[in-house]
Amino acid sequence: MHDLRRQALESGKTVSRKARSKNGSPAPSRPNSAPSSRATSRSRAVSRAGSDEEENGNLSDETSFSTNSIDELLNGDASDPITDAWRADLADRIQELIDRKRSSVQGREKCLAIYVRTLTSQYAEEDIRGKESELVPAFLKSIKAETSERETILAMKALAMTVVTSPSDLIYEAVASPLKRVISDSHSIASKAAAVHCLGTCTFFGGASDDEILDNMAYILEIVASDGGFIDAQDEPAPVVAALEEWGALSTLMEDLAGESEEAAEYFVDQLSSNDPAVQIAAGENIALLYEKSYRSLTEDDGPADLGENDIISDPDGIPGVPKLIKNYDPYRRTDILKDTLSDLAKLNTRRISKKEQKSLRTNFADILDSVEYPTHGPRYQNAIDHETGKRYGSRMTVRIHKEGVMRIDRWWKLHRLQALRRVLQSGFVTHYERNPVVFESLP
């Protein structure tokens, strides 16, 4: 099994089993690399109530692509109420971004921050409609120049918010190459990770074809396979986590992953031995998704002569009415060994990581193991009987939509899309889920 060594955890690195076997001990940590774990992202958050940083637009929603923990993600919207004055202010900021005349780095950072903050908390499709052709080139100027890390990341967050608010089939073609240059060539690890997330969002909503989606899935899988070395970020957790997360989100767009599953699963299983819990969890969630996508419900059209005994899975609880599943393809050829690894992670007991991280690993990998064993069991599946209905509770992961509304996340593909949207929308997720048809239709 994996070894969560104290030295590796303190370095903040992600080192897979394969990389350790090739390179021996990991190299020392880069002093300025950004933290990537969901658990650590919370410490970077800044209070929004009357701080000096709010005046300067220095808010965590604007530069973060993190979802914190799943439990925090599920607790709904925390956005602040804003008066209608935002429309006039947004119009001014749009004009300022497009003009860029005599602007300073600090001025652009503040303007981008206000733009992102407004599009996060408000559904502003009408306000930016028709301006995308001028806004996107303005964002790309900041992204290509990389004058400051903050301006670069803010511009990528602004680009992501723009494409989620007002999708266009033309955006992906315009932004793919510049974003990949940042991923490959930037000296900032934080910028690389943000560019991976932005590329994923623009691929999802920006008009990429199926072939382009698969190409980008293969591209970011190289980041995972090389532990970041493919983009000159060897053993840095942030870009690896970003690549794992965006691969999972993009894969939900594909009907069939038979041609990609085996290779991808090999790399994800390898990352289960990483020293970084965020890397392990993101890899595990992708494994669960691969198993979910490799099965379908058995129908009357499936002739028994065409099916092997091991290709059909019945509900392990024997619940009446639950359909049998038929395996379309093998998501991973060493499922027996994988189950042992997942079981060990679900029972992990060590003092080398925090109690919060240990609890998160146990909870997530108990879910992932359950889904590998029976792929219709989604996240947070519970076998307990509801005495009112006489049926098992099943997947009990829900998202609160204000006080009364509830959205059930009972499949792994739904969780991946929820996380992808929440990374971009942050505290404005509920606002966009209610008002933005693009977001609503992404989570039917």
Side-chain angles (χ1 to χ4, degrees):
M1 260 299 294
H2 69 300
D3 175 24
L4 294 172
R5 295 191 294 272
R6 183 184 305 275
Q7 180 180 358
L9 282 170
E10 289 175 349
S11 74
K13 299 269 185 188
T14 170
V15 186
S16 70
R17 181 176 65 252
K18 193 174 295 181
R20 289 200 301 271
S21 66
K22 291 180 180 178
N23 303 324
S25 59
S29 167
R30 300 182 187 182
N32 294 324
S33 61
S36 68
S37 169
R38 297 184 183 100
T40 60
S41 65
R42 195 171 165 191
S43 66
R44 302 196 306 271
V46 181
S47 170
R48 302 188 69 172
S51 69
D52 293 335
E53 290 183 334
E54 180 174 1
E55 182 65 26
N56 293 323
N58 189 19
L59 300 176
S60 62
D61 269 12
E62 293 149 9
T63 55
S64 175
F65 277 97
S66 168
T67 58
N68 294 319
S69 72
I70 289 295
D71 291 334
E72 291 166 348
L73 182 151
L74 300 178
N75 286 332
D77 170 84
S79 58
D80 298 326
I82 299 179
T83 66
D84 283 343
W86 66 267
R87 291 189 182 278
D89 191 34
L90 176 60
D92 291 341
R93 300 289 80 76
I94 290 173
Q95 194 59 47
E96 186 177 341
L97 287 168
I98 293 172
D99 288 345
R100 290 178 65 96
K101 293 179 180 178
R102 295 182 296 277
S103 64
S104 64
V105 174
Q106 292 76 15
R108 290 192 299 272
E109 288 176 356
K110 181 176 180 180
C111 189
L112 285 164
I114 294 172
Y115 178 88
V116 172
R117 180 176 61 191
T118 305
L119 262 65
T120 298
S121 60
Q122 304 293 323
Y123 177 49
E125 190 275 335
E126 292 184 0
D127 302 86
I128 66 172
R129 185 192 305 159
K131 300 180 177 68
E132 301 92 337
S133 61
E134 296 178 281
L135 283 168
V136 170
F139 300 147
L140 289 177
K141 286 181 181 178
S142 293
I143 293 169
K144 292 175 181 178
E146 284 199 83
T147 306
S148 75
E149 180 182 89
R150 179 167 170 77
E151 181 185 352
T152 304
I153 295 175
L154 280 167
M156 288 188 281
K157 193 68 189 289
L159 177 57
M161 281 303 310
T162 300
V163 74
V164 171
T165 301
S166 182
S168 167
D169 290 343
L170 303 176
I171 288 181
Y172 171 77
E173 185 177 353
V175 305
S177 293
L179 289 174
K180 287 183 178 180
R181 278 196 292 272
V182 174
I183 294 170
S184 299
D185 301 337
S186 177
H187 296 294
S188 164
I189 297 300
S191 294
K192 287 177 181 287
V196 172
H197 284 304
C198 189
L199 177 65
T201 302
C202 291
T203 303
F204 198 108
F205 295 104
S209 66
D210 286 352
D211 286 343
E212 289 168 328
I213 294 170
L214 287 171
D215 286 346
N216 281 338
M217 288 173 62
Y219 173 76
I220 58 181
L221 189 62
E222 287 285 349
I223 300 172
V224 177
S226 64
D227 294 322
F230 177 61
I231 58 169
D232 194 26
Q234 187 69 46
D235 301 331
E236 292 286 354
V240 175
V241 172
L244 287 164
E245 291 174 340
E246 295 305 328
W247 192 97
L250 291 176
S251 72
T252 67
L253 294 171
M254 311 311 305
E255 287 289 334
D256 188 344
L257 290 174
E260 292 75 31
S261 184
E262 179 67 31
E263 180 185 22
E266 284 280 359
Y267 297 136
F268 300 153
V269 170
D270 186 57
Q271 291 297 342
L272 296 180
S273 60
S274 168
N275 299 305
D276 189 280
V279 172
Q280 292 174 294
I281 291 171
E285 289 174 347
N286 282 354
I287 290 170
L289 179 65
L290 286 175
Y291 274 80
E292 179 179 87
K293 292 181 75 67
S294 69
Y295 285 80
R296 62 176 173 82
S297 296
L298 185 66
T299 67
E300 295 179 355
D301 296 332
D302 295 311
D306 300 326
L307 305 175
E309 182 179 346
N310 295 328
D311 291 337
I312 301 176
I313 296 181
S314 299
D315 178 39
D317 304 315
I319 302 174
V322 175
K324 294 181 178 180
L325 296 178
I326 178 173
K327 181 167 63 178
N328 287 330
Y329 53 87
D330 286 313
Y332 182 59
R333 55 189 170 83
R334 303 177 67 183
T335 298
D336 53 340
I337 298 176
L338 171 60
K339 287 180 181 179
D340 291 339
T341 303
L342 297 175
S343 178
D344 288 342
L345 286 166
K347 297 180 292 187
L348 182 67
N349 186 11
T350 178
R351 294 182 179 179
R352 295 187 177 94
I353 59 176
S354 69
K355 290 182 179 180
K356 182 177 181 181
E357 288 174 323
Q358 185 167 269
K359 179 181 178 182
S360 180
L361 281 170
R362 288 177 176 175
T363 301
N364 281 282
F365 280 101
D367 288 349
I368 293 162
L369 174 61
D370 187 37
S371 295
V372 168
E373 292 176 335
Y374 195 74
T376 60
H377 288 186
R380 302 295 190 270
Y381 189 91
Q382 290 191 3
N383 288 315
I385 301 293
D386 185 338
H387 295 293
E388 293 184 2
T389 64
K391 299 179 180 180
R392 299 191 186 277
Y393 284 108
S395 294
R396 301 193 70 182
M397 179 177 285
T398 57
V399 178
R400 298 175 198 150
I401 307 298
H402 296 310
K403 293 183 178 180
E404 298 179 358
V406 173
M407 175 172 52
R408 184 171 297 278
I409 306 298
D410 55 359
R411 301 295 298 276
W412 286 99
W413 72 263
K414 289 185 180 180
L415 178 59
H416 277 273
R417 289 196 182 182
L418 171 65
Q419 290 175 323
L421 288 166
R422 187 64 172 80
R423 283 192 294 270
V424 178
L425 299 172
Q426 297 287 312
S427 62
F429 170 75
V430 170
T431 295
H432 281 263
Y433 183 75
E434 290 183 318
R435 303 175 187 174
N436 186 340
V438 173
V439 173
F440 183 81
E441 292 166 8
S442 297
L443 282 169

